[in-house]
Amino acid sequence: MPIIPARLERTPDGVLYSSAFDDVYHSPEDALGQARHVFIAGNGLPERWQRRERFTLIETGFGAGLNFLATWAAWRDDPLRCARLHFVSCERQPFLREDLALIHARWPAFAALAAELQAQWPVLAPGLHRLNLDGGRVTLTLFLGDAADGLAQVVARADAFYLDGFAPAKNPDLWSARIFHLLARLAAPGATLATWSVAGSVREGLRRAGFETDKVRGFGGKWQMLRGRLARAAAEDAPPAAPTARHALVIGAGIAGCTLAERLAERGWRIDLVDAAAAPGQGASGNLAGVLRPLPSLDDNRMSRLTRAGSLHGWRNIANLAARGFPVRSDACGVLHLARDAAQQAKMRAVVERLALPPEHLAYVDETRAAQIAGCAVAAGGWWFAGSGWVQPPSLCAASLAAAGSSVRAQFGRPVARLQRDAEGWRAIVADGSTIAAAPVVVLAAGVGVRDFDVASGLPVVSARGQVSHLPASPGTAPKVVVCRGGYVSPEVDGVRCAGATFAVDDDDTALRAADHADNLDKLDAMLPGFASGFSAARLSGRVGFRPASPDRLPMIGAVADASVPPLKPELAAVARQPGLYVLSGYGARGLVWSALAAELLASQLEHDPLPLTRDLCEAVDPARFVVRPPATGRIDE
Ligand SMILES: Cc1cc2nc3c(=O)[nH]c(=O)nc-3n(C[C@H](O)[C@H](O)[C@H](O)COP(=O)(O)OP(=O)(O)OC[C@H]3O[C@@H](n4cnc5c(N)ncnc54)[C@H](O)[C@@H]3O)c2cc1C
Ligand SMILES: C[S@@+](CC[C@H](N)C(=O)[O-])C[C@H]1O[C@@H](n2cnc3c(N)ncnc32)[C@H](O)[C@@H]1O
């Protein structure tokens, strides 16, 4: 379902109003006062979050984010606040960024926080969006879409709920029995709720879902409000044990390992990072420029939703790193994906119409417009991803490690021969038998090298050789955007354009091959007619890398299965895992698309934070999926 932004409307008195629901967004007396009295105090805050590691709030309707801003401000003002605050919210009709700015301008006390929220405000695309705010200490996980879908798909344990829809009579679907049951399912032991509504249907619905409620003094014109607490015995849901020692051993310093190191460092972990190469970003992640963009589909399938989430998060991660003083060599110059023929062009147009995503994210352009964008002749029209572009992977590695700072102890030039588990955790052992690092948690981020570890023998990581060609280019020449069609060509970066790439499974040849350059030039010629004629395959330079591919083209993110314990049922939850052993691999031809989101997902899993991906997508990337459904043998492609 496309996301239709909310219209900015006000009542004659200036209160934020929705004509679609014929109701106001907040108490006409004072939005901030309502947030403080009803939602914050109504949930026993700030006291309940004090001295805790983390506190998680779930809200039903995000609206203009006024409750969120008030909560964030209250948390900042509290010297005894929890270390990390998680706010999860759902919104079917989000405001456009510029409207949010106009709304927030009426609360100057929040100016700095509101500006930070607006700066990270996501592209209004369906699904989950993870915003890391306030130096990573405040996390907003925002589901854009219907709350019933969002609450069914979100993976989180809430300590408190804000029930804030429009009036139940005008907005019944946000106060339904289904919503209340979903909230109960997401509740941590002792979870509380608060809402301004005391409607009988709300109290009854909450009671049926297992919440005890009582009426207390309301705010403004409302005499009463509702407070509640989950009544069920907490035995069934003992909270997951928090990590005791925040210390991880990460094998591999490509984009998988480096982005993870940064995410863990921000959460207060120590990281021992070990790589066989002399420096970060020397394996598959060593290219001059790669493409970071989504892959939409007519049915918005898993690949489509995952690449959209990964691309949006990837660009937000790059912006965050830059804002913290760690710029990544990259340019969101836009990506043109040209159709291979008229039939595909029509299909691409249909995808754009069906998904109805914001045009700055995905648009359809005909051949004439595509040529204008590219600045040269193109073979066809197709998709225009104006917010996408190219990224230099080694620079992403370097910026991530710089941001992680002294939390990372890196050892380069150290090939790990094997991993061994003992009572303390995992040890990385080199060829002479000595242990070079040890930690309770180990993450295999070794690209195709994952295949060399016995403990990961059940993971079907496949090596896919890729050769990229470097075409000499002058600054400012066309194309100034990335162009794709079968292959891709980047704008000029440091005097060359990257054109690629070949894809050959189980081919270990590290030498550059003229035939592969010729292949890349053929693809180039097919998208930009005549462009390749000035280059000779025999004289080009380039780079060879080995992609860690996966049979279903989806990454492997999470805990590694224990192959010695066959699952009793063909379900992910029934698959036994090796304690403390995790993997980040299988990134295939889309490492830039997966890396930042995968790192955030694994770091969130390790910390038992709310997850940044919906449940179905977490399951799609779970490494144990190959135990439940062994991969079909057959062709592996990009
Ligand atoms: C030609 C080519 C073009 C590509 N184009 C794009 C693109 O346009 N867009 C995109 O998103 N992706 C692209 N990719 C894919 C992307 O580059 C990869 O998916 C990504 O780099 C994989 O990152 P990684 O960290 O998993 O692996 P790597 O970067 O290979 O890192 C793994 C690291 O582990 C280390 N290691 C391995 N074994 C051991 C061991 N036993 N002990 C210690 N260290 C070990 C290695 O030295 C290496 O540094 C391309 C890849 C290639 C090859
Ligand atoms: C009262 S307003 C919330 C105000 C908000 N909490 C704030 O602090 O600004 C209710 C919000 O719920 C949203 N909403 C209504 N029905 C919804 C649904 N089924 N799923 C998701 N959001 C919904 C509305 O679009 C609206 O933004």
Side-chain angles (χ1 to χ4, degrees):
M1 272 272 280
I3 298 294
I4 299 162
R7 279 175 50 200
L8 173 48
E9 302 168 277
R10 294 187 192 280
T11 63
D13 301 335
V15 180
L16 197 58
Y17 169 80
S18 164
S19 55
F21 289 93
D22 183 26
D23 200 2
V24 288
Y25 275 77
H26 53 75
S27 157
E29 281 86 2
D30 174 15
L32 192 49
Q34 174 184 285
R36 286 182 178 142
H37 178 85
V38 176
F39 296 107
I40 299 177
N43 274 297
L45 300 172
E47 292 77 11
R48 284 186 58 231
W49 66 38
Q50 287 176 349
R51 298 186 180 85
R52 287 182 53 161
E53 188 71 45
R54 81 173 55 66
F55 196 86
T56 300
L57 287 144
I58 295 185
E59 183 187 51
T60 49
F62 188 76
L66 298 171
N67 288 343
F68 170 63
L69 291 173
T71 307
W72 182 5
W75 175 85
R76 281 178 70 95
D77 288 344
D78 181 3
L80 299 178
R81 62 183 169 256
C82 52
R84 290 176 73 94
L85 182 69
H86 283 278
F87 198 97
V88 180
S89 194
C90 301
E91 182 51 61
R92 198 170 57 189
Q93 286 180 276
F95 284 103
L96 295 169
R97 180 186 283 125
E98 53 269 31
D99 288 340
L100 218 48
L102 291 171
I103 296 167
H104 292 162
R106 297 210 173 179
W107 285 276
F110 295 149
L113 306 188
E116 198 176 333
L117 173 63
Q118 290 156 28
Q120 287 211 38
W121 192 238
V123 165
L124 301 186
L128 267 190
H129 302 262
R130 164 62 54 96
L131 278 58
N132 292 312
L133 302 156
D134 211 333
R137 296 175 309 156
V138 175
T139 304
L140 173 61
T141 305
L142 185 61
F143 180 83
L144 296 185
D146 197 282
D149 298 333
L151 295 172
Q153 282 291 339
V154 87
V155 183
R157 309 269 287 174
D159 300 299
F161 297 101
Y162 292 2
L163 270 57
D164 195 14
F166 291 117
K170 298 178 174 183
N171 188 188
D173 52 348
L174 209 52
W175 305 90
S176 65
R178 174 159 167 73
I179 293 279
F180 297 148
H181 278 99
L182 290 171
L183 295 180
R185 198 178 58 83
L186 290 165
T192 60
L193 67 83
T195 177
W196 50 266
S197 173
V198 287
S201 60
V202 170
R203 281 181 290 142
E204 177 57 15
L206 286 168
R207 191 190 64 74
R208 284 173 183 259
F211 291 98
E212 288 167 350
T213 59
D214 60 319
K215 293 182 194 168
V216 292
R217 188 176 59 81
F219 177 78
K222 292 206 178 291
W223 287 106
Q224 293 181 308
M225 59 167 271
L226 217 56
R227 271 189 334 200
R229 178 175 287 274
L230 191 72
R232 78 164 175 246
E236 64 185 86
D237 42 31
T244 43
R246 292 191 159 89
H247 181 197
L249 168 57
V250 178
I251 315 287
I255 50 177
C258 294
T259 52
L260 176 71
E262 189 276 321
R263 290 290 77 212
L264 289 178
E266 196 193 64
R267 287 166 165 86
W269 286 59
R270 278 185 302 128
I271 301 102
D272 269 288
L273 180 65
V274 183
D275 199 297
Q282 301 291 296
S285 310
N287 284 351
L288 195 56
V291 192
L292 173 48
R293 60 92 182 213
L295 187 66
S297 68
L298 202 56
D299 58 353
D300 205 23
N301 60 24
R302 289 185 320 182
M303 175 66 89
S304 167
R305 286 180 288 134
L306 267 168
T307 56
R308 179 165 71 232
S311 303
L312 292 173
H313 195 79
W315 285 109
R316 201 159 39 237
N317 178 53
I318 287 171
N320 276 347
L321 285 169
R324 290 164 59 194
F326 307 104
V328 178
R329 192 86 209 287
S330 59
D331 190 1
C333 53
V335 175
L336 266 178
H337 181 148
L338 307 176
R340 49 169 193 270
D341 52 33
Q344 198 196 18
Q345 190 161 319
K347 194 172 157 198
M348 287 170 122
R349 180 178 207 145
V351 169
V352 173
E353 284 165 5
R354 167 84 65 90
L355 298 183
L357 291 161
E360 72 273 20
H361 179 71
L362 171 66
Y364 171 81
V365 287
D366 63 16
E367 189 179 324
T368 311
R369 179 73 190 117
Q372 278 168 0
I373 291 170
C376 58
V378 298
W383 284 328
W384 170 230
F385 304 98
S388 294
W390 61 267
V391 178
Q392 190 168 91
S395 154
L396 176 58
C397 293
S400 302
L401 292 187
S406 60
S407 304
V408 174
R409 190 173 71 105
Q411 300 185 61
F412 292 108
R414 304 305 307 263
V416 176
R418 64 193 168 87
L419 287 169
Q420 191 171 308
R421 191 160 74 87
D422 57 26
E424 259 93 73
W426 290 90
R427 292 194 285 129
I429 298 170
V430 290
D432 68 5
S434 58
T435 297
I436 58 164
V441 163
V442 62
V443 182
L444 282 170
V448 291
V450 164
R451 298 171 306 162
D452 301 332
F453 290 91
D454 291 353
V455 290
S457 58
L459 294 171
V461 175
V462 173
S463 169
R465 180 188 184 278
Q467 178 171 319
V468 69
S469 305
H470 293 166
L471 314 179
S474 309
T477 50
K480 294 180 189 159
V481 302
V482 179
V483 186
C484 317
R485 174 181 160 165
Y488 64 85
V489 61
S490 74
E492 178 270 337
V493 182
D494 297 341
V496 296
R497 233 176 252 298
C498 295
T502 58
F503 192 95
V505 171
D506 286 337
D507 175 345
D508 293 338
D509 185 5
T510 55
L512 282 169
R513 300 198 287 234
D516 284 18
H517 284 317
D519 205 38
N520 287 337
L521 289 177
D522 283 350
K523 285 186 208 140
L524 179 60
D525 213 45
M527 55 185 152
L528 303 176
F531 198 89
S533 59
F535 302 103
S536 156
R539 283 200 294 276
L540 287 178
S541 66
R543 188 174 187 282
V544 173
F546 298 90
R547 307 171 184 90
S550 137
D552 58 7
R553 301 186 302 155
L554 295 178
M556 303 170 194
I557 308 166
V560 178
D562 182 345
S564 68
V565 187
L568 294 175
K569 287 188 275 184
E571 290 171 10
L572 287 170
V575 178
R577 314 287 172 132
Q578 299 183 59
L581 178 66
Y582 298 85
V583 67
L584 284 181
S585 189
Y587 288 9
R590 298 194 174 81
L592 288 166
V593 180
W594 308 132
S595 55
L597 186 56
E600 179 68 19
L601 174 60
L602 184 54
S604 301
Q605 287 173 341
L606 289 170
E607 281 279 311
H608 306 296
D609 285 340
L611 300 186
L613 273 179
T614 49
R615 185 182 301 276
D616 56 342
L617 297 184
C618 291
E619 289 174 0
V621 299
D622 188 327
R625 66 189 184 272
F626 301 111
V627 177
V628 176
R629 266 172 286 103
T633 47
R635 191 165 159 256
I636 290 184
D637 58 21
E638 292 190 75

